[in-house]
Amino acid sequence: MVFMYNKKMNKLMIGQALLFGLIIIFFGIIIVREKVPSLKVKNVTRDINNYYEENYSTLNVRVGDLKYNEEDNSYSITYYDRDYNDLNFTIKSINNKITDNYEENYVKGKKVIEKCEDLVLEKYNEVFKNTNYQNIKISFKDLNRYNDAEVIDILEGNIYNTGLYSVSYYVKVDSLDDIYLSNLINSFNSISTSNGLSTNNYSVTFDNNGIIKLVEGGNFNE
């Protein structure tokens, strides 16, 4: 009887030990899973900050929060111009490799220019929605190709009644007579100006039953 009792006790103690071991392993995994991301975030933040200090510390920018992107398993911090929030660039860490879009987004102002083009185009489309002037497109240059005063105008949204952009459009016509085409261009400009839109930089595609004539004006690309 004693032997059977001891055998049962040994099984119970082994079972309890296994259970205790599993509990330790379970909580250990939880602790490790909590600490590893924390350490990862700390290291990534340090690497991005070091990269910024080495390359862009003289810029007058505001530092954003660290963000994680699940799609490409990347971490990033965005740096915003202190005066103009739309002017910014991002430093990204993916697989411990650091990259940035400073040249595109901060020097050339890609996001700023895209926003300006959308805003101006929206107004042109509204003005000419019931006319023969079709397929209107708006094009700004890279931000670094404007002078300082023009850059400030762009960043502050003074972009409609200016020569800061080029407008192009398409018109179906019955004739390619120069005077007739000139009158169509003047009409477009007159309607634009009366609605607070104006630029001397234009490119017009006239289509006379498949015969195309391109007329351009201004010095936008110089």
Side-chain angles (χ1 to χ4, degrees):
M1 292 293 292
V2 173
F3 174 76
M4 293 295 294
Y5 175 77
N6 289 336
K7 189 174 181 180
K8 289 181 179 179
M9 286 297 295
N10 288 337
K11 286 184 178 180
L12 180 61
M13 291 176 65
I14 292 172
Q16 290 177 336
L18 289 173
L19 179 60
F20 184 69
L22 290 173
I23 292 173
I24 291 176
I25 293 172
F26 175 76
F27 283 104
I29 291 173
I30 291 176
I31 292 172
V32 170
R33 290 183 65 182
E34 288 178 348
K35 285 188 175 182
V36 168
S38 177
L39 290 172
K40 175 68 173 177
V41 167
K42 184 177 180 180
N43 290 337
V44 167
T45 303
R46 179 202 62 207
D47 292 343
I48 291 178
N49 286 336
N50 288 342
Y51 182 92
Y52 167 78
E53 289 296 329
E54 291 173 4
N55 296 278
Y56 307 118
S57 60
T58 59
L59 296 177
N60 183 28
V61 294
R62 175 177 57 82
V63 183
D65 297 327
L66 181 74
K67 294 183 178 179
Y68 175 69
N69 187 332
E70 290 185 359
E71 292 184 4
D72 59 3
N73 191 32
S74 68
Y75 294 84
S76 64
I77 296 178
T78 299
Y79 298 80
Y80 302 87
D81 184 275
R82 289 190 180 276
D83 296 319
Y84 305 103
N85 204 57
D86 286 336
L87 184 60
N88 58 70
F89 69 98
T90 299
I91 299 176
K92 177 186 287 189
S93 174
I94 179 169
N95 297 326
N96 296 320
K97 181 180 180 181
I98 306 293
T99 60
D100 70 71
N101 57 11
Y102 170 78
E103 185 70 23
E104 286 295 311
N105 273 27
Y106 202 80
V107 176
K108 295 182 179 179
K110 180 180 177 182
K111 288 184 179 179
V112 172
I113 295 307
E114 287 177 348
K115 180 179 179 181
C116 289
E117 289 175 345
D118 288 343
L119 289 173
V120 175
L121 179 60
E122 182 179 3
K123 195 165 183 178
Y124 268 96
N125 282 337
E126 180 183 345
V127 170
F128 291 97
K129 62 183 177 182
N130 295 319
T131 70
N132 292 327
Y133 300 102
Q134 302 174 2
N135 196 27
I136 298 174
K137 296 179 181 179
I138 302 299
S139 177
F140 281 76
K141 295 179 288 191
D142 291 340
L143 203 61
N144 60 337
R145 294 179 60 194
Y146 295 96
N147 63 45
D148 291 344
E150 291 172 334
V151 169
I152 291 174
D153 277 340
I154 290 171
L155 292 173
E156 292 183 347
N158 303 320
I159 53 177
Y160 297 97
N161 188 18
T162 70
L164 297 175
Y165 61 89
S166 175
V167 58
S168 65
Y169 52 95
Y170 169 91
V171 188
K172 282 189 175 181
V173 293
D174 297 324
S175 167
L176 294 177
D177 176 73
D178 289 340
I179 296 177
Y180 172 59
L181 300 185
S182 179
N183 287 337
L184 287 174
I185 292 174
N186 290 337
S187 177
F188 182 91
N189 293 341
S190 177
I191 295 171
S192 299
T193 301
S194 65
N195 285 275
L197 298 165
S198 180
T199 179
N200 293 322
N201 303 299
Y202 60 86
S203 174
V204 190
T205 301
F206 293 107
D207 182 354
N208 179 20
N209 295 318
I211 301 174
I212 303 297
K213 184 171 185 177
L214 181 65
V215 179
E216 296 179 320
N219 57 357
F220 187 70
N221 294 317
E222 292 185 1

